[in-house]
Amino acid sequence: MKQVIALFIVVLLFTLPLFAQQPAINPAPTPAPVDSTAQLRSTPDTIPPAVQQKGRIGTDGTPRPIRVGSSVLTPEGGSETLASDTVQVTAKQEAQIRKIIPRKATIRSLILPGLGQAYNRQYYKIPFIYAGFGVMGYLFVKYKGLANQAEEGYRLLLYGRKISDKVYEPVDSVVIGTQIIRTTTGAKAGYDLYRRYRDLNILLSVALWGINIIEANVAAHLKTFDLSDDISMRIEPRVLPVPGAGFVPGVRVAFTFK
């Protein structure tokens, strides 16, 4: 009996795999390893030829840049960022600017006020210059007349009004401008004051002439100021010697003028 049972168990162990449930879908085979950077390395870092032909070739057959925002694309795939603080001038403007010579502007303003400003093509400054000279001229004439009245009034109060060669009539008061003066001291003080104002207007007129010359020279230099890349400022790291501390890191600011 025991032998029959053992034989039955052995037969059962060999037949169970035959009745086991088979999987409905066989698993997919494992893919072969692929280099993920091969595609990136094979992609050319350039602008497609269609874009180059359409956007980079001008009417004269010369290549022209493709502008995207503030950058310029190049055929090699790079870009150049346009400097936003650079003044762009045309060839005609450049030719006009280079014709201005500061020395000529200075000499012309020295000869005649406003002539240097006209040479610099800054005509709007000329009326202000002559308005200043007009005010100075008006005040000079005004105070010169008052000074002459004060001088004559001083003589009348001191000696009197002349009637004949040897006869003078005493004078109690004189009129200087809108004021009535009764003493020689007041007449002398008025004469000194008006003469000082008269001389001050002469000095201010000379100063205005000098300012006109300096302004023409400075404006001519500014109009011929070089706006190219030759003028630049560079900030570079640098090691600086410090007494007692050896060498310490620092920053070097370099200005380039040409």
Side-chain angles (χ1 to χ4, degrees), residues 90-100 121:
T90 62
K92 182 178 180 180
Q93 292 174 338
E94 182 72 15
Q96 291 177 350
I97 289 175
R98 296 306 174 188
K99 290 180 180 178
I100 297 176
R121 299 183 181 90

Side-chain angles (χ1 to χ4, degrees), residues 43-65:
T43 303
D45 190 17
T46 57
I47 302 174
V51 178
Q52 296 183 18
Q53 295 295 330
K54 182 178 180 181
R56 291 188 55 79
I57 304 301
T59 55
D60 54 352
T62 58
R64 61 184 182 184

Side-chain angles (χ1 to χ4, degrees), residues 199-214:
D199 297 343
L200 179 61
N201 280 277
I202 296 176
L203 295 177
L204 290 177
S205 299
V206 174
L208 182 59
W209 198 308
I211 293 174
N212 148 76
I213 298 173
I214 296 174

Side-chain angles (χ1 to χ4, degrees), residues 128-217:
F128 295 99
I129 295 175
Y130 281 96
F133 281 112
V135 172
M136 301 301 173
Y138 167 76
L139 294 177
F140 172 79
V141 173
K142 174 183 177 181
Y143 290 120
K144 180 182 179 181
L146 291 174
N148 292 337
Q149 291 182 17
E151 181 181 8
E152 182 65 21
Y154 177 79
R155 290 176 180 174
L156 291 176
L157 292 174
L158 183 62
Y159 301 108
R161 184 175 289 104
K162 185 178 181 179
I163 299 177
S164 61
D165 293 340
K166 297 182 179 180
V167 179
Y168 289 87
E169 179 184 4
V171 176
D172 296 335
S173 62
V174 294
V175 178
I176 302 176
T178 58
Q179 298 180 353
I180 299 177
I181 306 299
R182 302 181 184 278
T183 61
T184 56
T185 304
K188 179 66 169 57
Y191 171 76
D192 293 339
L193 177 65
Y194 296 135
R195 186 186 61 177
R196 189 179 305 114
Y197 285 163
R198 179 199 62 189
D199 297 343
L200 179 61
N201 280 277
I202 296 176
L203 295 177
L204 290 177
S205 299
V206 174
L208 182 59
W209 198 308
I211 293 174
N212 148 76
I213 298 173
I214 296 174
E215 196 280 331
N217 181 272

Side-chain angles (χ1 to χ4, degrees), residues 218-247:
V218 173
H221 276 93
L222 291 178
K223 290 180 74 67
T224 57
F225 194 75
D226 193 354
L227 299 176
S228 65
D229 294 336
D230 294 334
I231 301 178
S232 60
M233 181 186 73
R234 299 192 308 274
I235 301 177
E236 304 172 350
R238 192 175 182 87
V239 179
L240 304 175
V242 177
F247 291 92

